[in-house]
């Protein structure tokens, strides 16, 4: 039997330096509201984040993004969502991971449109994502599908049914046989 989940799990610690005045204000707020210092800080962060909105226009309409649009319980999904927002200035490594995920989409997305994540796959693969990327970089000239095959094994080891790999060409891109398609259009 596993341990029962705690009522309010905390897993991250934050150390900050405060001048005496700010520390006094923090203590004052905690006493006044009957809250812990942690609760005061968490709620202040939530209030500030609620007012932080990224606005983008595609030429036709404005799109608004908040932290809630990027949040997911899956660390991998959160990382991928953040890496897609240029205003959050993704690093080279974040962009590299996103590119790898898009190229190996059957392991991360429900379909080729890449709109819905496969959290159960991501939760297994994400802790090793940099290892899979490095394998792809090292092997792509000899075996382009090596990283995908390694991810297949990781999913099988986790007792998950893996996706079809390598993916077949999309039906929306034509039959895939370019020369036969041309022959069909030539009148004799």
């Amino acid at each position: 039997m596993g341990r029962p989940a705690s009522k309010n799990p905390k897993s991250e610690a934050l150390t900050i330096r405060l001048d005496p005045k700010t520390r006094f204000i923090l203590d004052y707020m905690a006493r006044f509201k009957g809250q812990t210092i942690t609760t005061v800080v968490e709620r202040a962060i939530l209030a500030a984040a609620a007012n932080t909105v990224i606005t983008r226009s595609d030429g036709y309409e404005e799109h608004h993004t908040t932290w809630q649009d990027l949040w997911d319980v899956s660390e991998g999904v959160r990382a991928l969502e953040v890496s897609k927002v240029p205003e959050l200035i993704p690093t080279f490594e974040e962009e590299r991971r996103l590119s790898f995920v898009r190229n190996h989409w059957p392991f991360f997305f429900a379909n080729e449109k890449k709109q819905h994540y496969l959290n159960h796959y991501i939760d297994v693969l994400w802790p090793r994502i940099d290892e899979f990327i490095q394998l792809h970089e090292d092997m792509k000239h000899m075996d382009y599908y090596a990283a995908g095959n390694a991810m297949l094994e990781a999913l099988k080891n986790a007792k998950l049914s893996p996706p079809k790999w390598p993916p077949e060409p999309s039906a929306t891109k034509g039959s895939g046989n370019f020369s036969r398609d041309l022959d069909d259009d030539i009148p004799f």
Side-chain angles (χ1 to χ4, degrees), residues 114-130:
K114 303 173 185 90
Q115 295 171 325
H116 303 287
Y117 292 105
L118 297 172
N119 286 44
H120 56 296
Y121 285 0
I122 293 172
D123 290 342
V124 170
L125 300 175
W126 195 257
R128 297 177 55 195
I129 193 69
D130 292 327

Side-chain angles (χ1 to χ4, degrees), residues 1-186:
M1 286 257 184
R3 290 185 343 197
S6 66
K7 182 177 160 187
N8 190 11
K10 303 286 182 183
S11 61
E12 300 290 331
L14 173 65
T15 303
I16 58 173
R17 295 177 191 256
L18 302 173
D19 63 47
K21 182 179 177 182
T22 304
R23 173 59 195 228
F24 176 80
I25 293 168
L26 187 55
D27 287 333
Y28 168 82
M29 293 293 295
R31 284 176 176 251
F32 179 77
K33 294 186 177 220
Q35 299 171 341
T36 65
I37 289 174
T38 298
T39 302
V40 170
V41 171
E42 287 174 342
R43 291 187 180 170
I45 291 169
L46 284 172
N51 294 317
T52 305
V53 179
I54 298 170
T55 303
R56 286 182 269 167
S57 175
D58 62 8
Y60 299 103
E61 61 183 309
E62 285 189 347
H63 302 277
H64 304 283
T65 303
T66 68
W67 70 270
Q68 290 142 323
D69 298 313
L70 308 176
W71 169 254
D72 193 281
V73 295
S74 172
E75 177 186 353
V77 172
R78 287 193 309 267
L80 292 168
E81 284 297 296
V82 166
S83 67
K84 292 194 279 184
V85 181
E87 292 83 356
L88 297 178
I89 310 168
T91 65
F92 170 76
E93 287 304 318
E94 290 169 328
E95 290 174 344
R96 183 178 183 217
R97 289 180 191 118
L98 181 61
S99 176
F100 176 83
V101 165
R102 286 178 171 160
N103 288 330
H104 292 80
W105 67 265
F107 295 97
F108 302 94
F109 296 99
N111 59 44
E112 200 169 357
K113 291 182 181 180
K114 303 173 185 90
Q115 295 171 325
H116 303 287
Y117 292 105
L118 297 172
N119 286 44
H120 56 296
Y121 285 0
I122 293 172
D123 290 342
V124 170
L125 300 175
W126 195 257
R128 297 177 55 195
I129 193 69
D130 292 327
E131 173 188 335
F132 295 129
I133 292 170
Q134 191 60 55
L135 178 62
H136 178 69
E137 291 297 317
D138 293 344
M139 297 295 294
K140 67 183 175 186
H141 64 284
M142 295 185 319
D143 180 3
Y144 192 83
Y145 300 112
N149 292 332
M151 290 188 291
L152 283 177
E153 285 304 311
L155 294 174
K156 287 177 187 176
N157 290 339
K159 308 290 188 250
L160 291 172
S161 179
K164 178 157 178 39
W165 181 256
E168 294 179 6
S170 173
T172 61
K173 294 180 182 174
S175 67
N177 190 339
F178 183 70
S179 62
R180 194 188 80 201
D181 291 345
L182 286 178
D183 289 344
D184 291 344
D185 293 335
I186 299 173

